[in-house]
Amino acid sequence: MGSRLTEEQAAFAAAVRDFAKRECGTREQRDALTDGGREAHHPELYRRLADLGWLGVCLPEEYGGSGGGTADACLFLEETSYGMVPCGGFITTVITAKAYERFGSERQRREVLSGVVRGDVLAVAMSEPGAGSDVGALRCRARQERDGAWVIDGQKTWISNAHCAESILLVARTGEDKHGGLTMFHLPAGTPGVEIRGIETMRGREVNDVYLADVRLPADSVVGAVNGGWKQLMAGLDHERLFLAANMLGLARRAFDDAVAYVREREQFGRPVGSFQALRHRVADLATEIECTRLLVREVALDCDAYPEKLFSREASMAKLKATELAKRVTLEGMQMMGGYGYTTEFDMERHLRAAVVSTVYGGTSEIQRDVIGKTYGL
């Protein structure tokens, strides 16, 4: 399938770019919205995105969404990332919303998906201190009591946006089988027994520890099937990896444009530093890699929309691997091209770098993505 945008998609992308330029176009605006770069999500601005109808970009119309597809969501993620819009809650929200859309009960879908369209943030809690890449090793346990209610105890860690989420999609152990004993639960914010503690990172506040002590949930809190969580997680990995890829594609584009703008203006030895072959060739290589990555991400997104029942494990892992590694490379190269100024907080490049370096870790490390790709070739 072709990777060109439709007229509607082009208009949508232009509208998002215009919003970003108007609301976040200056460093002063971005600092005010993000507490100097420490916060990746601004609730009030996020609600304004909801008012524009953009947060339901890939959700069904019956729940208030626009009925768009994966390609539309990727486009939104790419453009908001490029525009440095502080809507960090959207990435976990759209990933989690797809799980509710596919496996949730009608009540859960109506409650959660309609909330997403209105501006609610969602989080997903899988990782634990002893279970990261090996999700099947998680130990957070849910036991069902005689009245049907579930009682959950355990700890989750590295949970993005848990501190600003209206609900968390929690994965807990309900059986002894490593993969066949996992279940998804709908955990509303403010549920008694849940404690959320922020983890300080290079980017400030974005991830959290979540502690659960005798957390009681009603019987209908199960999302999908009891002990069916592993298969449900696997079914959503293509979208998760693709959404993360689109987000980092936008960041790579922004870091590239910022670097090019700098080397066009900065003069040494009587001429712009970008005119020297060493930098001109570096710019050419990065531009080519960005365009290749853009085509890959959009092609996979279009295929996901065209064949919704088909898995694209190889292609989605390729997109995630390529886009995140590229974002890290572009930001490092951008800092090198800008010299000492790239290292200062006066410019955005150091902020781009802090956002990019972790992208090769979350959502499945680059090593995991390579392993997945290799296995699809029978290796």
Side-chain angles (χ1 to χ4, degrees):
M1 295 186 62
S3 295
R4 293 183 179 179
L5 300 180
T6 65
E7 290 185 9
E8 292 80 4
Q9 288 173 329
F12 175 52
V16 176
R17 284 195 295 270
D18 181 67
F19 178 91
K21 185 176 181 180
R22 185 174 64 253
E23 302 296 334
C24 322
T26 68
R27 180 61 180 264
E28 291 74 20
Q29 287 175 308
R30 295 193 293 274
D31 282 346
L33 291 168
T34 63
D35 187 22
R38 286 185 50 80
E39 297 286 347
H41 184 81
H42 191 276
E44 293 180 11
L45 191 68
Y46 196 67
R47 296 286 177 180
R48 292 176 60 188
L49 293 172
D51 292 340
L52 290 167
W54 292 346
L55 300 185
V57 61
C58 64
L59 296 181
E61 294 179 359
E62 61 185 299
Y63 304 113
S66 60
T70 303
D72 299 299
C74 286
L75 187 61
F76 180 72
L77 283 162
E78 180 185 345
E79 292 298 340
T80 52
S81 181
Y82 180 87
M84 298 184 72
V85 180
C87 58
F90 182 76
I91 186 73
T92 55
T93 297
V94 69
I95 290 169
T96 308
K98 298 304 288 185
Y100 279 99
E101 180 185 347
R102 178 172 290 190
F103 303 110
S105 65
E106 177 56 29
R107 180 191 66 80
Q108 290 169 343
R109 289 197 298 270
R110 192 159 300 282
E111 173 187 339
V112 175
L113 300 186
S114 298
V116 168
V117 173
R118 295 192 301 270
D120 287 356
V121 172
L122 307 179
V124 57
M126 291 186 289
S127 295
E128 297 180 7
S133 297
D134 184 10
V135 177
L138 65 82
R139 301 174 63 184
C140 177
R141 184 168 292 275
R143 68 180 189 277
Q144 192 167 29
E145 303 205 321
R146 290 184 178 181
D147 63 357
W150 293 90
V151 178
I152 304 175
D153 292 279
Q155 178 188 351
K156 296 293 180 179
T157 193
W158 308 119
I159 309 308
S160 300
N161 299 314
H163 59 294
C164 58
E166 273 69 30
S167 65
I168 297 173
L169 183 63
L170 176 75
V171 185
R173 180 159 299 286
T174 49
E176 299 309 316
D177 185 88
K178 181 175 181 177
H179 294 135
L182 305 180
T183 301
M184 290 181 174
F185 293 91
H186 173 61
L187 177 65
T191 298
V194 178
E195 180 184 0
I196 297 174
R197 299 181 194 170
I199 301 173
E200 286 298 317
T201 72
M202 291 172 63
R203 288 188 74 193
R205 179 73 183 275
E206 55 182 337
V207 293
N208 308 268
D209 282 316
V210 179
Y211 298 90
L212 305 106
D214 292 323
V215 174
R216 190 177 180 86
L217 295 176
D220 63 357
S221 294
V222 172
V223 178
V226 174
N227 293 329
W230 176 259
K231 291 183 178 180
Q232 293 169 198
L233 286 171
M234 294 302 102
L237 283 181
D238 290 357
H239 283 94
E240 176 184 3
R241 291 167 179 169
L242 195 53
F243 292 150
L244 293 171
N247 196 44
M248 284 300 107
L249 170 60
L251 177 63
R253 287 177 48 217
R254 179 57 183 257
F256 174 82
D257 284 355
D258 286 355
V260 170
Y262 180 87
V263 300
R264 280 175 176 164
E265 299 296 328
R266 172 68 170 169
E267 290 192 358
Q268 290 286 277
F269 306 103
R271 57 175 174 157
V273 296
S275 66
F276 291 98
Q277 187 182 70
L279 293 191
R280 193 166 64 243
H281 285 189
R282 183 175 287 174
V283 167
D285 287 344
L286 292 177
T288 302
E289 290 299 308
I290 287 173
E291 189 60 26
C292 290
T293 305
R294 187 207 304 260
L295 293 172
L296 173 63
V297 171
R298 291 186 177 172
E299 188 76 8
V300 180
L302 288 168
D303 282 344
C304 285
D305 286 337
Y307 309 100
E309 300 305 317
K310 184 178 178 180
L311 294 179
F312 292 92
S313 301
R314 175 192 297 172
E315 296 83 355
S317 286
M318 285 179 172
K320 201 273 183 182
L321 173 65
K322 181 66 175 177
T324 56
E325 291 289 348
L326 176 65
K328 186 165 66 173
R329 177 186 170 190
V330 173
T331 54
L332 283 168
E333 296 263 17
M335 183 171 286
Q336 187 73 21
M337 287 190 284
M338 293 176 66
Y341 287 104
Y343 189 64
T344 68
T345 57
E346 177 185 354
F347 290 86
D348 287 319
M349 193 58 66
E350 60 84 26
R351 191 174 295 186
H352 298 330
L353 177 61
R354 288 187 284 114
V357 290
V358 73
S359 69
T360 59
V361 175
Y362 60 54
T365 64
S366 290
E367 291 75 16
I368 289 292
Q369 305 309 322
R370 292 185 177 101
D371 200 42
V372 169
I373 295 166
K375 286 181 178 179
T376 66
Y377 287 100
L379 302 176

